């Protein structure tokens, strides 16, 4: 199965496991969209901004001496956006509803990012 299809499959599973999650976008660290799940408008812009935010967040962790980046979480009046490094080449953005269980969002987001990283690594090794 192609990388895009495998990544999309993991994103669908994430949404199905976690009812507060309404969509996700996977992108390269260069800002190119790999897959979108339930993000109707702006998927390309989300991908571009997510790659920039990932780079900035990684740099902040280095400057602050706080170890490797695990996630960046942004909360707003209409919900949350969480960003995860999925290996060295992919960023996963997860969109959740207001009032979402943030512990579950973090747990499932990290799990999916790990699965996406494994899919990408497997593709590079094939």
């Amino acid at each position: 199965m192609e990388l895009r299809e495998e990544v999309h499959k993991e994103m669908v599973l994430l949404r199905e496991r976690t009812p507060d999650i309404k969509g996700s976008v996977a992108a390269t660290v260069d800002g190119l969209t790999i897959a979108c799940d339930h993000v109707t408008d702006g998927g390309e812009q989300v991908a571009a901004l997510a790659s920039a935010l990932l780079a900035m967040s990684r740099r902040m962790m280095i400057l602050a001496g706080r170890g490797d980046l695990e996630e960046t979480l942004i909360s707003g009046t209409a919900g949350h956006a969480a960003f995860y490094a999925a290996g060295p080449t992919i960023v996963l953005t997860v969109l959740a509803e207001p009032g979402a269980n943030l512990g579950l969002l973090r747990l499932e987001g990290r799990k999916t990012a790990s699965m996406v990283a494994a899919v990408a690594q497997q593709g590079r090794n094939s």
Side-chain angles (χ1 to χ4, degrees):
M1 197 181 294
E2 184 181 325
L3 174 67
R4 292 177 190 277
E5 294 168 350
E6 286 285 333
V7 168
H8 186 259
K9 180 177 139 189
E10 292 298 332
M11 294 161 64
V12 169
L13 290 172
L14 168 65
R15 183 173 38 82
E16 290 173 348
R17 284 191 311 265
T18 316
D20 292 331
I21 292 176
K22 296 305 173 194
S24 56
V25 176
T28 67
V29 293
D30 297 330
L32 302 174
T33 303
I34 295 170
C36 287
D37 179 56
H38 278 257
V39 178
T40 54
D41 292 329
E44 297 292 324
Q45 289 121 339
V46 169
L49 287 172
S51 68
L53 183 62
L54 178 72
M56 225 172 33
S57 296
R58 282 179 168 163
R59 185 71 182 140
M60 175 58 79
M61 295 306 292
I62 290 168
L63 288 173
R66 298 290 153 216
D68 293 332
L69 174 71
E70 290 184 352
E71 69 190 359
T72 299
L73 176 65
I74 300 174
S75 298
T77 58
H80 311 278
F83 305 84
Y84 302 90
T89 61
I90 298 175
V91 57
L92 176 67
T93 302
V94 180
L95 306 174
E97 292 292 316
N101 179 330
L102 296 181
L104 185 59
L105 170 65
R106 294 179 72 201
L107 179 72
E108 293 295 337
R110 288 179 186 175
K111 179 180 176 180
T112 301
S114 178
M115 295 301 292
V116 167
V119 165
Q121 182 63 38
Q122 182 181 14
R124 282 192 295 273
N125 292 338
S126 300

